[in-house]
Amino acid sequence: MSLLVLGGTAWLGRAVAAAGVALGQEVTILARGQSGAPPDDVEVVRADRGAPGAYDVVRDRDWDVVIDVARQPSHVAGALEAVGDRAASWVFVSSASVYAAGEVPGADETAALLPAHEADDEGWETYGARKVAGERLVLDAVGERALVARSGLIAGPGDHTDRTGYWPLRFAHPASPDDAVLVPDSPLLTQVLDVRDLAQWLVSAGLSRAGGVVNASGPTIPLADHLAAARSVAGHSGPVVPVDQDWLAAHEVAPWSGERSLPLWLPLPEYAGFMARSTAAAEALGLVARPLEQTLADTLAWEVSAGPGRARKAGLSPSDELALIAAARS
């Protein structure tokens, strides 16, 4: 069985290629190769998807499954034009960011979408709308042969966004001399899926010719339970310092990610359902999530091996957290 992964050296794409190899597939990846090393035992076609002739090496071959993780509409369109007719199954990895609103927990795939943004763009503000455009291109071109997987927050070892690794690492290495850790006091629901589980399912679903549009994420649990799991795998026994969202806003702590942020936390009520979408359709197609504790333990081990002191894309610096803990306690 032949599997073509469009992008296979970055985090998710590499996991998809590795899952294909593990499932006994003949895997080819087409990528620039600038995001990391490809997995072992795959054919590598180095190409810039925006350049003429990018698909020349693969366009005259038949593929059992094509899996595309593209975020640029032109890349989606180019791949479909080149190999859309040669694929028995086409899997497009979309995003839960396609939805126009996130207030309602339990919303399914029929929820309203953002207007499509059909031009290429690097800005985060158009990311979800570009994925909407990609979905439409795929569904129009390959129809019933397409599986559109709207991924939620991906977790696990290798998380270069630093969102899922922040909490187990901080609990394992507190900034405060008394091992205190600042945490958001919020009833927010969270939903993450291990990158390895998502990758394995994407390949398996493609091989089984699954089709349709589905939300692909993990179980929904309260943020407090997610933090408790991170604390447990880190072996943290120090105090926690809970602060509510008004306090965080007043002290200029950002939600979700970025500099001076608390990862995973989002303000309510506008994000009450952002990480709490129905995944019943994907589960019916075989999606299974491993225990959160296993994901967080493996992520912590990767964080330690990657170097706890490296520059991060999300979270509080130790100095910021020390100042915030002092402010909260005063």
Side-chain angles (χ1 to χ4, degrees), residues 8-11 13-21 27 29 36-44:
T9 60
W11 186 37
R14 190 179 194 283
V16 169
V21 172
V27 179
I29 65 173
D40 294 333
D41 301 320
V42 303
E43 176 190 7
V44 179

Side-chain angles (χ1 to χ4, degrees), residues 168-268:
L169 182 63
R170 180 48 52 90
F171 281 122
H173 298 278
S176 176
D178 67 347
D179 290 344
V181 175
L182 188 81
V183 300
D185 182 8
S186 170
L188 178 74
L189 297 173
T190 66
Q191 192 175 33
V192 304
L193 181 63
D194 193 294
V195 65
R196 297 163 292 186
D197 296 333
L198 176 58
Q200 191 276 337
W201 175 76
L202 290 169
V203 176
S204 297
L207 292 171
S208 66
R209 307 291 187 264
V213 179
V214 300
N215 295 326
S217 195
T220 299
I221 68 168
L223 175 59
D225 291 352
H226 186 112
L227 297 179
R231 190 169 183 239
S232 175
V233 302
H236 180 259
S237 58
V240 295
V241 181
V243 288
D244 64 28
Q245 67 178 33
D246 293 337
W247 190 94
L248 289 167
H251 288 79
E252 299 181 331
V253 177
W256 193 242
S257 66
E259 186 178 357
R260 194 178 166 85
S261 67
L262 283 183
L264 301 187
W265 165 65
L266 288 165
L268 297 173

Side-chain angles (χ1 to χ4, degrees), residues 62-161:
D62 292 326
W63 302 98
D64 293 292
V65 185
V66 174
I67 300 180
D68 190 5
V69 300
R71 61 179 62 192
Q72 301 295 4
S74 72
H75 291 179
V76 178
L80 289 164
E81 186 279 328
V83 294
D85 291 341
R86 307 301 295 263
S89 175
W90 194 282
V91 180
F92 178 62
V93 183
S94 187
S95 168
S97 295
V98 298
Y99 292 110
E103 298 98 333
V104 181
D108 66 13
E109 293 83 359
T110 63
L113 304 181
L114 294 166
H117 185 93
E118 298 176 351
D120 290 358
D121 189 2
E122 294 295 340
W124 176 251
E125 64 276 4
T126 65
Y127 171 73
R130 282 182 278 127
K131 284 290 192 180
V132 174
E135 289 187 7
R136 292 182 180 176
L137 288 165
V138 169
L139 294 170
D140 287 346
V142 296
E144 294 181 354
R145 290 182 287 128
L147 174 65
V148 173
R150 292 173 177 163
S151 174
L153 183 62
I154 305 172
D159 182 4
H160 59 281
T161 73

